[in-house]
Amino acid sequence: MMASKDELTVPKEDLADAWQRMLPERLHGGDKAEVRADGIDDRTLRVHIKTAGHQMLEFDFAVKYVDSREIDIQLTDVEKDGQSVDERTDIMQDLILDYRRHLHETAQALHHYTHS
């Protein structure tokens, strides 16, 4: 079996910078995002999103590039006012689904950058 030629070749810091510029354009007004390269895996980004308003919710995601186009998103933490919360409620699941969609939209918007 041949190895895939469709591997991500963008340096991780450059990729994190591109995501940092692109993701806020896709979030709801007032939501804030911080994107950084993972310290261990060159294909993974760490995304921290703070919701706007009085909810004081914060979401952490690991976004891993499977190849130059496809991403795998894992929720790693949800906090409210600094305390972990149960992400299994319907309201939380809706928010998580919404943010996952924004992460996929960001990856799609960066296809020209990640797919050579």
Side-chain angles (χ1 to χ4, degrees), residues 5 10 15 24 29 34 45 48 82 86-87 99 103-104 110:
K5 296 270 187 213
V10 178
L15 185 61
E34 180 183 327
L45 299 171
H48 181 79
D86 183 0
E87 70 270 4
Y99 286 126
L103 294 170
H104 277 289
L110 290 171

Side-chain angles (χ1 to χ4, degrees), residues 30-92:
D31 285 356
K32 299 202 178 332
E34 180 183 327
V35 181
R36 60 184 169 78
D38 184 81
I40 298 169
D41 186 348
D42 288 348
R43 297 178 302 154
T44 300
L45 299 171
R46 297 291 171 174
V47 178
H48 181 79
I49 299 173
K50 289 183 180 182
T51 60
H54 302 291
Q55 297 176 45
M56 300 180 88
L57 290 169
E58 299 183 28
F59 297 84
D60 290 316
F61 294 94
V63 177
K64 181 174 186 164
Y65 273 84
V66 177
D67 58 30
S68 69
R69 288 189 258 193
E70 184 183 348
I71 60 170
D72 176 60
I73 301 169
Q74 298 296 321
L75 176 71
T76 58
D77 192 28
V78 179
E79 293 184 354
K80 180 175 179 142
D81 202 17
Q83 301 291 320
S84 287
V85 297
D86 183 0
E87 70 270 4
R88 295 172 295 187
T89 66
D90 288 344
I91 293 169
M92 284 296 168

Side-chain angles (χ1 to χ4, degrees), residues 22 107-116:
M22 189 68 68
Q108 282 189 328
L110 290 171
H111 274 181
H112 70 282
Y113 187 66
T114 60
H115 185 67
S116 48

